[in-house]
Amino acid sequence: MIAKISHGTKIYGALLYNHSKVIAGNAEILQMYQMLQTTSGEYTTGQLLSSFLPFLALNKKTEKTALHISLNPDPKDIITDEDYIKIADEYMVKLGYGNQPYVVFKHNDIDRPHIHIVSTVIDHEGNKISDSFEKKRSMEICRELEKKYRLIPANEKKITQRNSLHPVDYTQGNIKSQIASVVKFLPKYFNFQSIGGYNALLSLFNITAEQVKNEYHGELKEGLVYFALDKNGNKISNPFKSSLFGKQAGLSALRLSFENSKRVTQETKHLTRKLIDLALKNTAGEQDFKKYLIELGINTVIRRNEQGRLYGISFIDHNTRNVFNGSHLGKQYSANIFHERFVPEQASEKPQFSFDSQSSYSAQSATLKEDLHPFFHFMSDSASFFSDWGLLDSLLLDNLAEDPEEHLFEFNMKKKKRRKTT
């Protein structure tokens, strides 16, 4: 079992991230320890937050008051909900947080069930609980729990290496292997409803997929080929047949994913619309709009033709792991609407594609941390904190989605600071 520990500044963000999965049907609340409970057993994010507010009020000096932990057993382990609760309780006691209020979420949105625990590091007297040697103590606790509950022992180094994921850097060679590491992973963890949505996601990794048709013995055959892209979104490699990367990267499997992804609930779409509406309300230009949405957990990929006209827009929502073309969310989010909104900026924007990834891994790594959502911070060499975590779903643990009002305040303060320095 692997434990991932995150200390953050916003408990609301950790709660909102997990609760959004509950609303989308991809998670459930297993345990509410020393938390205020409702008679119905249903909660809003605000109601969950209320259990922690008295603790936060006792300590105004500690910056990182949020504690967010994920416990990840081996995929082959079979664990009941009752045992998940026992494991969470024992883990928190042994780590020193046994007297704290905390909520345990079980995530079912990937093929590896796991639990998340949200709590605070501020105790009942307003003191910060020590996190000295926390990583070492956590590993020892996990080994004890593995033995007690007969779980498969974890090899953290092996798991980290196996799940390494980076955007393609064509200057490093071995492009086929680089593409393979991405296309074998993404379809398992993201929903997209079309080739366009799939390519929006792939573009963040400097990859594009192209549908091809050939006649073979009088029969029309369809397939998919992949290309590596340079920093301007241009094809820079020879085509690679999808068969080189397994069935999951092929057209048939992706078409099945398209159909399954179309079953997304209106509640899930509403979560994405709400965040986009907030960005539209509080920003004026395209770049501010993109950066604001990144703060809320959404990457925006915009496509333009050679004349600079915006003809496509996609939203990659890391909160729900869905890729939506604007039109999928409603007419008010279509490409035409955003073309009109961003028209003042078109004169200065000539590239055919606009990628939030800022492209080349080697040449642009310094800008990735600013321009990409934290889910993809591991792309940057400087983001050693995230690369140490390994499993990608755990990259969403901190500062993924926080209080929108706080985001607005912080966003405006950053804008004022930038104006003063220019």
mmCIF file of all heavy atoms in Angstrom, residues 370-406:
data_model
loop_
_atom_site.group_PDB
_atom_site.id
_atom_site.type_symbol
_atom_site.label_atom_id
_atom_site.label_comp_id
_atom_site.label_asym_id
_atom_site.label_seq_id
_atom_site.Cartn_x
_atom_site.Cartn_y
_atom_site.Cartn_z
ATOM 1 N N GLU A 370 3.715 27.389 -14.536
ATOM 2 C CA GLU A 370 2.793 28.527 -14.518
ATOM 3 C C GLU A 370 1.585 28.282 -15.393
ATOM 4 O O GLU A 370 0.472 28.681 -15.057
ATOM 5 C CB GLU A 370 3.522 29.780 -14.996
ATOM 6 C CG GLU A 370 2.623 31.013 -15.048
ATOM 7 C CD GLU A 370 3.356 32.224 -15.555
ATOM 8 O OE1 GLU A 370 4.578 32.143 -15.776
ATOM 9 O OE2 GLU A 370 2.687 33.252 -15.745
ATOM 10 N N ASP A 371 1.767 27.601 -16.525
ATOM 11 C CA ASP A 371 0.716 27.551 -17.531
ATOM 12 C C ASP A 371 -0.119 26.277 -17.513
ATOM 13 O O ASP A 371 -1.164 26.226 -18.139
ATOM 14 C CB ASP A 371 1.328 27.718 -18.925
ATOM 15 C CG ASP A 371 1.925 29.102 -19.112
ATOM 16 O OD1 ASP A 371 1.395 30.060 -18.521
ATOM 17 O OD2 ASP A 371 2.916 29.207 -19.832
ATOM 18 N N LEU A 372 0.326 25.240 -16.852
ATOM 19 C CA LEU A 372 -0.435 23.995 -16.818
ATOM 20 C C LEU A 372 -1.115 23.810 -15.482
ATOM 21 O O LEU A 372 -0.657 24.298 -14.455
ATOM 22 C CB LEU A 372 0.488 22.801 -17.066
ATOM 23 C CG LEU A 372 0.812 22.510 -18.526
ATOM 24 C CD1 LEU A 372 1.794 21.367 -18.603
ATOM 25 C CD2 LEU A 372 -0.429 22.178 -19.307
ATOM 26 N N HIS A 373 -2.210 23.095 -15.526
ATOM 27 C CA HIS A 373 -2.865 22.714 -14.289
ATOM 28 C C HIS A 373 -1.951 21.813 -13.474
ATOM 29 O O HIS A 373 -1.150 21.078 -14.033
ATOM 30 C CB HIS A 373 -4.170 21.973 -14.623
ATOM 31 C CG HIS A 373 -4.862 21.501 -13.399
ATOM 32 N ND1 HIS A 373 -4.775 20.219 -12.952
ATOM 33 C CD2 HIS A 373 -5.609 22.160 -12.499
ATOM 34 C CE1 HIS A 373 -5.451 20.099 -11.828
ATOM 35 N NE2 HIS A 373 -5.961 21.253 -11.541
ATOM 36 N N PRO A 374 -2.027 21.854 -12.121
ATOM 37 C CA PRO A 374 -1.126 21.046 -11.295
ATOM 38 C C PRO A 374 -1.115 19.561 -11.628
ATOM 39 O O PRO A 374 -0.147 18.875 -11.329
ATOM 40 C CB PRO A 374 -1.681 21.271 -9.874
ATOM 41 C CG PRO A 374 -2.237 22.636 -9.931
ATOM 42 C CD PRO A 374 -2.838 22.772 -11.316
ATOM 43 N N PHE A 375 -2.180 19.044 -12.259
ATOM 44 C CA PHE A 375 -2.190 17.637 -12.648
ATOM 45 C C PHE A 375 -0.999 17.311 -13.531
ATOM 46 O O PHE A 375 -0.478 16.214 -13.516
ATOM 47 C CB PHE A 375 -3.483 17.317 -13.392
ATOM 48 C CG PHE A 375 -3.634 15.860 -13.741
ATOM 49 C CD1 PHE A 375 -4.216 15.002 -12.836
ATOM 50 C CD2 PHE A 375 -3.221 15.362 -14.957
ATOM 51 C CE1 PHE A 375 -4.371 13.663 -13.144
ATOM 52 C CE2 PHE A 375 -3.373 14.030 -15.268
ATOM 53 C CZ PHE A 375 -3.952 13.184 -14.360
ATOM 54 N N PHE A 376 -0.535 18.307 -14.298
ATOM 55 C CA PHE A 376 0.561 18.079 -15.230
ATOM 56 C C PHE A 376 1.858 18.740 -14.784
ATOM 57 O O PHE A 376 2.779 18.890 -15.571
ATOM 58 C CB PHE A 376 0.185 18.595 -16.620
ATOM 59 C CG PHE A 376 -0.933 17.823 -17.245
ATOM 60 C CD1 PHE A 376 -2.103 18.455 -17.602
ATOM 61 C CD2 PHE A 376 -0.819 16.463 -17.459
ATOM 62 C CE1 PHE A 376 -3.145 17.737 -18.178
ATOM 63 C CE2 PHE A 376 -1.860 15.746 -18.029
ATOM 64 C CZ PHE A 376 -3.025 16.380 -18.387
ATOM 65 N N HIS A 377 1.948 19.164 -13.516
ATOM 66 C CA HIS A 377 3.186 19.782 -13.049
ATOM 67 C C HIS A 377 4.363 18.820 -13.118
ATOM 68 O O HIS A 377 5.510 19.241 -13.175
ATOM 69 C CB HIS A 377 3.024 20.256 -11.604
ATOM 70 C CG HIS A 377 2.355 21.579 -11.507
ATOM 71 N ND1 HIS A 377 2.176 22.235 -10.320
ATOM 72 C CD2 HIS A 377 1.809 22.382 -12.464
ATOM 73 C CE1 HIS A 377 1.550 23.378 -10.532
ATOM 74 N NE2 HIS A 377 1.315 23.478 -11.811
ATOM 75 N N PHE A 378 4.082 17.521 -13.095
ATOM 76 C CA PHE A 378 5.172 16.558 -13.136
ATOM 77 C C PHE A 378 5.906 16.598 -14.468
ATOM 78 O O PHE A 378 6.960 16.000 -14.626
ATOM 79 C CB PHE A 378 4.643 15.137 -12.921
ATOM 80 C CG PHE A 378 3.707 14.696 -14.005
ATOM 81 C CD1 PHE A 378 4.152 13.912 -15.040
ATOM 82 C CD2 PHE A 378 2.385 15.095 -13.997
ATOM 83 C CE1 PHE A 378 3.281 13.513 -16.044
ATOM 84 C CE2 PHE A 378 1.522 14.699 -14.997
ATOM 85 C CZ PHE A 378 1.973 13.918 -16.014
ATOM 86 N N MET A 379 5.372 17.338 -15.448
ATOM 87 C CA MET A 379 6.066 17.488 -16.723
ATOM 88 C C MET A 379 7.361 18.281 -16.555
ATOM 89 O O MET A 379 8.273 18.168 -17.353
ATOM 90 C CB MET A 379 5.171 18.237 -17.721
ATOM 91 C CG MET A 379 3.967 17.462 -18.177
ATOM 92 S SD MET A 379 3.015 18.455 -19.326
ATOM 93 C CE MET A 379 1.747 17.291 -19.796
ATOM 94 N N SER A 380 7.405 19.151 -15.549
ATOM 95 C CA SER A 380 8.560 20.013 -15.376
ATOM 96 C C SER A 380 9.611 19.343 -14.519
ATOM 97 O O SER A 380 9.321 18.749 -13.495
ATOM 98 C CB SER A 380 8.125 21.326 -14.708
ATOM 99 O OG SER A 380 9.238 22.101 -14.357
ATOM 100 N N ASP A 381 10.870 19.430 -14.938
ATOM 101 C CA ASP A 381 11.965 18.860 -14.167
ATOM 102 C C ASP A 381 12.013 19.445 -12.764
ATOM 103 O O ASP A 381 12.463 18.797 -11.822
ATOM 104 C CB ASP A 381 13.303 19.118 -14.860
ATOM 105 C CG ASP A 381 13.499 18.214 -16.062
ATOM 106 O OD1 ASP A 381 12.954 17.103 -16.064
ATOM 107 O OD2 ASP A 381 14.197 18.628 -16.981
ATOM 108 N N SER A 382 11.584 20.685 -12.611
ATOM 109 C CA SER A 382 11.663 21.350 -11.321
ATOM 110 C C SER A 382 10.601 20.861 -10.354
ATOM 111 O O SER A 382 10.692 21.120 -9.164
ATOM 112 C CB SER A 382 11.518 22.865 -11.495
ATOM 113 O OG SER A 382 10.243 23.181 -12.016
ATOM 114 N N ALA A 383 9.589 20.152 -10.860
ATOM 115 C CA ALA A 383 8.481 19.715 -9.993
ATOM 116 C C ALA A 383 8.795 18.374 -9.364
ATOM 117 O O ALA A 383 8.085 17.400 -9.534
ATOM 118 C CB ALA A 383 7.183 19.649 -10.790
ATOM 119 N N SER A 384 9.895 18.303 -8.608
ATOM 120 C CA SER A 384 10.330 17.031 -8.032
ATOM 121 C C SER A 384 9.334 16.514 -7.006
ATOM 122 O O SER A 384 9.206 15.313 -6.801
ATOM 123 C CB SER A 384 11.702 17.192 -7.368
ATOM 124 O OG SER A 384 11.656 18.199 -6.366
ATOM 125 N N PHE A 385 8.610 17.437 -6.362
ATOM 126 C CA PHE A 385 7.618 17.003 -5.380
ATOM 127 C C PHE A 385 6.603 16.079 -6.000
ATOM 128 O O PHE A 385 6.272 15.027 -5.473
ATOM 129 C CB PHE A 385 6.926 18.227 -4.786
ATOM 130 C CG PHE A 385 5.761 17.887 -3.900
ATOM 131 C CD1 PHE A 385 5.965 17.473 -2.601
ATOM 132 C CD2 PHE A 385 4.475 17.965 -4.379
ATOM 133 C CE1 PHE A 385 4.891 17.155 -1.790
ATOM 134 C CE2 PHE A 385 3.389 17.654 -3.578
ATOM 135 C CZ PHE A 385 3.610 17.250 -2.276
ATOM 136 N N PHE A 386 6.083 16.441 -7.182
ATOM 137 C CA PHE A 386 5.071 15.643 -7.843
ATOM 138 C C PHE A 386 5.670 14.381 -8.442
ATOM 139 O O PHE A 386 5.051 13.331 -8.427
ATOM 140 C CB PHE A 386 4.370 16.462 -8.924
ATOM 141 C CG PHE A 386 3.462 17.513 -8.351
ATOM 142 C CD1 PHE A 386 3.862 18.832 -8.314
ATOM 143 C CD2 PHE A 386 2.234 17.182 -7.835
ATOM 144 C CE1 PHE A 386 3.037 19.804 -7.777
ATOM 145 C CE2 PHE A 386 1.394 18.138 -7.298
ATOM 146 C CZ PHE A 386 1.802 19.454 -7.279
ATOM 147 N N SER A 387 6.874 14.469 -8.998
ATOM 148 C CA SER A 387 7.460 13.294 -9.629
ATOM 149 C C SER A 387 7.733 12.213 -8.602
ATOM 150 O O SER A 387 7.748 11.032 -8.918
ATOM 151 C CB SER A 387 8.753 13.669 -10.362
ATOM 152 O OG SER A 387 9.729 14.134 -9.455
ATOM 153 N N ASP A 388 7.956 12.606 -7.343
ATOM 154 C CA ASP A 388 8.183 11.622 -6.298
ATOM 155 C C ASP A 388 6.918 10.821 -6.003
ATOM 156 O O ASP A 388 6.977 9.716 -5.474
ATOM 157 C CB ASP A 388 8.646 12.317 -5.006
ATOM 158 C CG ASP A 388 10.083 12.807 -5.126
ATOM 159 O OD1 ASP A 388 10.783 12.325 -6.028
ATOM 160 O OD2 ASP A 388 10.474 13.684 -4.343
ATOM 161 N N TRP A 389 5.759 11.373 -6.317
ATOM 162 C CA TRP A 389 4.510 10.709 -5.968
ATOM 163 C C TRP A 389 4.188 9.549 -6.886
ATOM 164 O O TRP A 389 3.538 8.609 -6.471
ATOM 165 C CB TRP A 389 3.371 11.734 -6.007
ATOM 166 C CG TRP A 389 3.312 12.545 -4.773
ATOM 167 C CD1 TRP A 389 4.360 12.940 -4.002
ATOM 168 C CD2 TRP A 389 2.154 13.054 -4.150
ATOM 169 N NE1 TRP A 389 3.924 13.668 -2.952
ATOM 170 C CE2 TRP A 389 2.577 13.765 -3.010
ATOM 171 C CE3 TRP A 389 0.806 12.986 -4.447
ATOM 172 C CZ2 TRP A 389 1.691 14.392 -2.165
ATOM 173 C CZ3 TRP A 389 -0.077 13.627 -3.605
ATOM 174 C CH2 TRP A 389 0.362 14.312 -2.479
ATOM 175 N N GLY A 390 4.573 9.625 -8.126
ATOM 176 C CA GLY A 390 4.389 8.474 -9.010
ATOM 177 C C GLY A 390 3.006 8.331 -9.573
ATOM 178 O O GLY A 390 2.784 8.665 -10.720
ATOM 179 N N LEU A 391 2.068 7.803 -8.825
ATOM 180 C CA LEU A 391 0.736 7.535 -9.344
ATOM 181 C C LEU A 391 0.007 8.832 -9.668
ATOM 182 O O LEU A 391 -0.129 9.711 -8.829
ATOM 183 C CB LEU A 391 -0.071 6.737 -8.317
ATOM 184 C CG LEU A 391 0.455 5.325 -8.069
ATOM 185 C CD1 LEU A 391 -0.243 4.732 -6.860
ATOM 186 C CD2 LEU A 391 0.245 4.448 -9.279
ATOM 187 N N LEU A 392 -0.462 8.904 -10.908
ATOM 188 C CA LEU A 392 -0.952 10.195 -11.397
ATOM 189 C C LEU A 392 -2.212 10.681 -10.712
ATOM 190 O O LEU A 392 -2.420 11.879 -10.585
ATOM 191 C CB LEU A 392 -1.200 10.117 -12.909
ATOM 192 C CG LEU A 392 0.057 10.051 -13.748
ATOM 193 C CD1 LEU A 392 -0.309 10.174 -15.204
ATOM 194 C CD2 LEU A 392 1.015 11.152 -13.374
ATOM 195 N N ASP A 393 -3.052 9.775 -10.292
ATOM 196 C CA ASP A 393 -4.281 10.261 -9.676
ATOM 197 C C ASP A 393 -3.974 11.027 -8.397
ATOM 198 O O ASP A 393 -4.734 11.897 -7.997
ATOM 199 C CB ASP A 393 -5.228 9.101 -9.365
ATOM 200 C CG ASP A 393 -4.640 8.141 -8.354
ATOM 201 O OD1 ASP A 393 -3.691 7.429 -8.708
ATOM 202 O OD2 ASP A 393 -5.124 8.086 -7.218
ATOM 203 N N SER A 394 -2.833 10.745 -7.769
ATOM 204 C CA SER A 394 -2.462 11.432 -6.543
ATOM 205 C C SER A 394 -1.891 12.813 -6.801
ATOM 206 O O SER A 394 -1.646 13.564 -5.869
ATOM 207 C CB SER A 394 -1.451 10.596 -5.764
ATOM 208 O OG SER A 394 -2.025 9.378 -5.388
ATOM 209 N N LEU A 395 -1.690 13.173 -8.057
ATOM 210 C CA LEU A 395 -1.184 14.501 -8.372
ATOM 211 C C LEU A 395 -2.257 15.562 -8.185
ATOM 212 O O LEU A 395 -1.964 16.751 -8.218
ATOM 213 C CB LEU A 395 -0.672 14.546 -9.820
ATOM 214 C CG LEU A 395 0.529 13.661 -10.088
ATOM 215 C CD1 LEU A 395 0.839 13.641 -11.565
ATOM 216 C CD2 LEU A 395 1.735 14.134 -9.317
ATOM 217 N N LEU A 396 -3.492 15.121 -7.975
ATOM 218 C CA LEU A 396 -4.594 16.061 -7.824
ATOM 219 C C LEU A 396 -4.863 16.409 -6.368
ATOM 220 O O LEU A 396 -5.860 17.021 -6.067
ATOM 221 C CB LEU A 396 -5.858 15.467 -8.441
ATOM 222 C CG LEU A 396 -5.837 15.301 -9.950
ATOM 223 C CD1 LEU A 396 -7.007 14.457 -10.387
ATOM 224 C CD2 LEU A 396 -5.887 16.645 -10.632
ATOM 225 N N LEU A 397 -3.983 16.017 -5.479
ATOM 226 C CA LEU A 397 -4.323 16.105 -4.071
ATOM 227 C C LEU A 397 -4.348 17.512 -3.501
ATOM 228 O O LEU A 397 -5.074 17.798 -2.587
ATOM 229 C CB LEU A 397 -3.335 15.268 -3.241
ATOM 230 C CG LEU A 397 -3.466 13.770 -3.451
ATOM 231 C CD1 LEU A 397 -2.501 13.037 -2.555
ATOM 232 C CD2 LEU A 397 -4.876 13.306 -3.152
ATOM 233 N N ASP A 398 -3.529 18.418 -4.044
ATOM 234 C CA ASP A 398 -3.405 19.700 -3.369
ATOM 235 C C ASP A 398 -3.726 20.853 -4.304
ATOM 236 O O ASP A 398 -3.251 20.911 -5.417
ATOM 237 C CB ASP A 398 -1.984 19.867 -2.829
ATOM 238 C CG ASP A 398 -1.909 21.017 -1.851
ATOM 239 O OD1 ASP A 398 -2.918 21.306 -1.190
ATOM 240 O OD2 ASP A 398 -0.852 21.630 -1.745
ATOM 241 N N ASN A 399 -4.533 21.804 -3.784
ATOM 242 C CA ASN A 399 -4.840 23.034 -4.521
ATOM 243 C C ASN A 399 -5.459 22.759 -5.877
ATOM 244 O O ASN A 399 -5.223 23.484 -6.828
ATOM 245 C CB ASN A 399 -3.576 23.885 -4.695
ATOM 246 C CG ASN A 399 -3.078 24.387 -3.375
ATOM 247 O OD1 ASN A 399 -3.849 24.594 -2.458
ATOM 248 N ND2 ASN A 399 -1.774 24.566 -3.267
ATOM 249 N N LEU A 400 -6.232 21.707 -5.983
ATOM 250 C CA LEU A 400 -6.864 21.410 -7.276
ATOM 251 C C LEU A 400 -8.021 22.350 -7.532
ATOM 252 O O LEU A 400 -8.105 22.998 -8.548
ATOM 253 C CB LEU A 400 -7.376 19.976 -7.296
ATOM 254 C CG LEU A 400 -8.176 19.715 -8.556
ATOM 255 C CD1 LEU A 400 -7.278 19.183 -9.651
ATOM 256 C CD2 LEU A 400 -9.311 18.778 -8.306
ATOM 257 N N ALA A 401 -8.938 22.387 -6.588
ATOM 258 C CA ALA A 401 -10.112 23.240 -6.776
ATOM 259 C C ALA A 401 -10.465 23.844 -5.437
ATOM 260 O O ALA A 401 -10.792 23.130 -4.511
ATOM 261 C CB ALA A 401 -11.286 22.416 -7.308
ATOM 262 N N GLU A 402 -10.372 25.143 -5.329
ATOM 263 C CA GLU A 402 -10.559 25.796 -4.054
ATOM 264 C C GLU A 402 -11.756 26.732 -4.111
ATOM 265 O O GLU A 402 -12.470 26.793 -5.096
ATOM 266 C CB GLU A 402 -9.267 26.529 -3.679
ATOM 267 C CG GLU A 402 -8.090 25.562 -3.616
ATOM 268 C CD GLU A 402 -6.756 26.268 -3.526
ATOM 269 O OE1 GLU A 402 -6.736 27.512 -3.457
ATOM 270 O OE2 GLU A 402 -5.728 25.575 -3.535
ATOM 271 N N ASP A 403 -11.963 27.467 -3.027
ATOM 272 C CA ASP A 403 -13.087 28.389 -2.952
ATOM 273 C C ASP A 403 -12.996 29.407 -4.080
ATOM 274 O O ASP A 403 -12.026 30.154 -4.171
ATOM 275 C CB ASP A 403 -13.039 29.098 -1.595
ATOM 276 C CG ASP A 403 -14.273 29.939 -1.353
ATOM 277 O OD1 ASP A 403 -14.982 30.233 -2.334
ATOM 278 O OD2 ASP A 403 -14.514 30.291 -0.194
ATOM 279 N N PRO A 404 -13.998 29.491 -4.966
ATOM 280 C CA PRO A 404 -13.933 30.419 -6.092
ATOM 281 C C PRO A 404 -13.715 31.869 -5.677
ATOM 282 O O PRO A 404 -13.021 32.614 -6.362
ATOM 283 C CB PRO A 404 -15.303 30.242 -6.771
ATOM 284 C CG PRO A 404 -15.714 28.850 -6.416
ATOM 285 C CD PRO A 404 -15.197 28.641 -5.032
ATOM 286 N N GLU A 405 -14.308 32.287 -4.562
ATOM 287 C CA GLU A 405 -14.126 33.667 -4.124
ATOM 288 C C GLU A 405 -12.676 33.917 -3.733
ATOM 289 O O GLU A 405 -12.115 34.987 -4.004
ATOM 290 C CB GLU A 405 -15.061 33.963 -2.932
ATOM 291 C CG GLU A 405 -16.536 33.936 -3.309
ATOM 292 C CD GLU A 405 -16.869 34.921 -4.419
ATOM 293 O OE1 GLU A 405 -16.305 36.036 -4.417
ATOM 294 O OE2 GLU A 405 -17.686 34.582 -5.282
ATOM 295 N N GLU A 406 -12.058 32.937 -3.076
ATOM 296 C CA GLU A 406 -10.656 33.086 -2.724
ATOM 297 C C GLU A 406 -9.792 33.098 -3.980
ATOM 298 O O GLU A 406 -8.813 33.839 -4.070
ATOM 299 C CB GLU A 406 -10.220 31.932 -1.810
ATOM 300 C CG GLU A 406 -10.828 32.009 -0.426
ATOM 301 C CD GLU A 406 -10.373 30.861 0.446
ATOM 302 O OE1 GLU A 406 -10.646 29.704 0.080
ATOM 303 O OE2 GLU A 406 -9.737 31.121 1.465
#
